[in-house]
Amino acid sequence: MSTKTSRTTPAAETTEQPRITVLGTGYLGATHAVAMAELGFDVTGVDTDPHKVEALQAGKVPFFEPGLDTLLEKNLATGRLRFTTDVASAVAQGDVHFVCVGTPQQRTSHAADLRFVEAATTAIARHLTKDAVIVGKSTVPVGTAARLRGLVADQAPAGLDVELIWNPEFLREGKAVEDTLHPDRIVLGGASERAERVLRRVYAGPIAEGTPVVVTDLPTAELVKVSANAFLATKISFINAIAGVCEAAGADVTVLADALGHDKRIGRQFLDAGLGFGGGCLPKDIRALMHRANELGAYRASGLLQQVDEINMGQRERVVDMTLEACEGSVLNKRVGVLGAAFKPLTDDVRDSPALNVAAALHLRGAQVTVFDPEAGDTARRLFPTLAYATSAEEAVEGADVVLVLTEWDEFVQADPERLAALTQVPRVIDARGKLPVDRWRSAGWQFTGLGRLAA
């Protein structure tokens, strides 16, 4: 199938609005279900976890995402949105079925675990009672959708017109509501003319705002999301590699990145040197792409991604080493105040969090580590219960021999360095995210060190 990009909508069909089901109510699925209801559709979210369904039906989002709780309550009240564990009933009533389940990394390899995608697709196919479009949104290795089409053909009732297409998601944690309601592009992979018309109706609101629609084949659609994540990860690892050169040469990587960012071919986004990327998407997606590239014999791509991953993980080791250097070679019985636990601001997600990885590594070396995060304290405590947790930045840095800024929350970037300095044992800070105003912190008496920045 050729690829085409369009910003216009074909003439609308006269049939009534399609009813939507969303299988999986984790971060992607819950956000997508709420957003579809906000766009005016009748939506049923389905999950096998009764506790998650109960919470969502009660208007409680089981994770932190700005703005999602308000929209959830609003659309539950309209009656357009509901959540259930009854997949058979939900699918029987639906016309468009979105697969939004997780694809975590397998425990024994870099490959993606596709059990949940396969189970969700099978459940939809078996319970269909009318013609339908199944829409994959989960991030999967290229070639998965073609295999799932065979599964649907085997499991769907005879005589129904059922089509599976791929429509990858491009959500940014902390901005997921905006990204769903006002996406920067919509990709439809493997859609027939009928399926394309249906999806254009589903996304009529964003399309009317000018969001481009890219219609392409299944493999290209599957590769778009992982390729985007791989590119962003490569950009981050590039600037972190250059940060090492800056440290060796006595240069400032922040000023260097600003200068690079003025080049329109490069841009400033994702050029912040620091602790590197984490979370539930970039790390597992680049590893899954690396694994799949190896299977396909695309060894240059897999080799590049391996270097990207190694540079990223090396940044965590570098921050641990910087902390040891600041404490004259040992952190045994030293008090370390850690500001940040989430892998990035505006989320409580601590999956593969560089901040917690560093905190735990220092704890294992005998440090007394106290962590504070504005939103991720509870999720961090469940994952790393042996660390100490504070309820404020002031409590975290009290009596500290060294303070680490590991997540760039505005609360930390805009903090009063004079007030914090007075609480520490030694006013010594390592800015592992490159966001603190250096001159202000140094003027307040802090011994300041940052990745790729001059120490003083």
Side-chain angles (χ1 to χ4, degrees):
M1 177 185 290
S2 61
T3 298
K4 61 179 180 178
T5 301
S6 172
R7 294 178 184 270
T8 60
T9 308
E13 296 180 331
T14 58
T15 55
E16 62 184 23
Q17 287 280 71
R19 295 169 64 92
I20 291 174
T21 64
V22 177
L23 268 71
T25 61
Y27 185 84
L28 167 60
T31 304
H32 192 69
V34 172
M36 290 296 101
E38 178 68 11
L39 290 174
F41 295 95
D42 185 279
V43 182
T44 302
V46 184
D47 205 290
T48 58
D49 185 342
H51 301 293
K52 191 183 297 182
V53 167
E54 182 180 348
L56 288 165
Q57 191 62 38
K60 299 177 181 178
V61 180
F63 50 85
F64 176 70
E65 177 60 36
L68 187 58
D69 52 351
T70 302
L71 284 186
L72 172 63
E73 293 178 0
K74 171 186 172 182
N75 285 284
L76 286 171
T78 67
R80 287 193 300 265
L81 178 64
R82 68 200 63 82
F83 296 92
T84 182
T85 58
D86 188 350
V87 63
S89 175
V91 170
Q93 298 176 42
D95 303 294
V96 180
H97 309 279
F98 286 95
V99 177
C100 295
V101 296
T103 52
Q105 183 177 325
Q106 291 184 15
R107 292 185 178 182
T108 56
S109 80
H110 285 160
D113 186 343
L114 300 176
R115 289 176 299 166
F116 306 111
V117 168
E118 292 167 355
T121 305
T122 300
I124 293 170
R126 286 178 177 174
H127 295 295
L128 289 172
T129 59
K130 54 183 174 178
D131 297 347
V133 179
I134 302 174
V135 186
K137 290 198 74 68
S138 303
T139 303
V140 297
V142 62
T144 301
R147 184 164 54 81
L148 292 176
R149 277 189 168 176
L151 186 153
V152 170
D154 290 339
Q155 299 293 329
L160 297 184
D161 184 355
V162 183
E163 185 173 351
L164 181 142
I165 71 170
W166 220 258
N167 168 223
E169 58 90 5
F170 302 103
L171 303 190
R172 297 169 294 172
E173 293 194 38
K175 299 180 180 178
V177 173
E178 177 74 12
D179 289 344
T180 307
L181 294 175
H182 310 285
D184 53 16
R185 77 279 208 195
I186 297 167
V187 177
L188 305 178
S192 67
E193 290 185 5
R194 181 184 78 85
E196 181 182 344
R197 286 196 300 271
V198 171
L199 267 295
R200 283 182 179 273
R201 293 188 63 206
V202 170
Y203 291 118
I207 292 172
E209 295 175 347
T211 299
V213 179
V214 179
V215 181
T216 186
D217 51 70
L218 281 176
T220 303
E222 290 171 302
L223 280 169
V224 170
K225 172 62 185 294
V226 291
S227 298
N229 279 354
F231 182 83
L232 296 176
T234 301
K235 197 171 182 182
I236 295 168
S237 286
F238 168 81
I239 198 63
N240 280 332
I242 294 298
V245 179
C246 288
E247 290 178 23
D252 190 322
V253 74
T254 302
V255 178
L256 184 148
D258 288 341
L260 288 176
H262 286 294
D263 188 326
K264 294 180 180 179
R265 299 168 300 174
I266 299 173
R268 185 61 177 83
Q269 286 189 311
F270 288 83
L271 273 185
D272 290 316
L275 194 48
F277 55 82
C281 289
L282 259 65
K284 64 100 174 173
D285 284 353
I286 66 168
R287 291 166 191 161
L289 180 54
M290 184 194 317
H291 180 87
R292 186 64 176 135
N294 261 325
E295 288 181 335
L296 294 171
Y299 301 120
R300 289 183 178 177
S302 62
L304 171 63
L305 294 173
Q306 182 173 340
Q307 285 294 308
V308 167
D309 198 13
E310 290 177 359
I311 291 170
N312 185 63
M313 298 303 294
Q315 291 300 101
R316 307 178 187 194
E317 299 172 10
R318 177 70 183 121
V319 173
V320 171
D321 290 342
M322 290 171 72
T323 308
L324 292 170
E325 293 166 10
C327 294
E328 299 179 345
S330 174
V331 292
L332 182 63
N333 294 323
K334 297 289 185 180
R335 294 183 61 84
V336 179
V338 170
L339 300 183
F343 83 94
K344 60 179 278 188
L346 298 177
T347 181
D348 63 352
D349 193 344
V350 297
R351 290 175 294 175
D352 201 5
S353 168
L356 284 179
N357 188 258
V358 169
L362 293 171
H363 173 74
L364 289 174
R365 287 167 171 79
Q368 300 174 28
V369 181
T370 302
V371 180
F372 170 69
D373 189 287
E375 292 293 341
D378 290 340
T379 53
R381 186 180 287 106
R382 287 195 290 270
L383 197 62
F384 290 91
T386 57
L387 298 175
Y389 294 90
T391 58
S392 67
E394 290 79 9
E395 183 184 348
V397 307
E398 187 173 358
D401 296 288
V402 61
V403 174
L404 311 183
V405 179
L406 303 184
T407 310
E408 63 274 31
W409 287 92
D410 285 345
E411 177 177 334
F412 304 151
V413 177
Q414 299 167 6
D416 183 348
E418 289 87 356
R419 182 162 55 88
L420 294 182
L423 298 172
T424 65
Q425 180 71 26
V426 181
R428 185 162 43 202
V429 64
I430 297 174
D431 178 13
R433 290 297 183 180
K435 293 295 185 179
L436 298 184
V438 181
D439 293 341
R440 186 180 175 198
W441 281 70
R442 286 175 175 164
S443 296
W446 287 85
Q447 300 175 37
F448 187 100
T449 307
L451 289 163
R453 306 170 87 174
L454 300 176

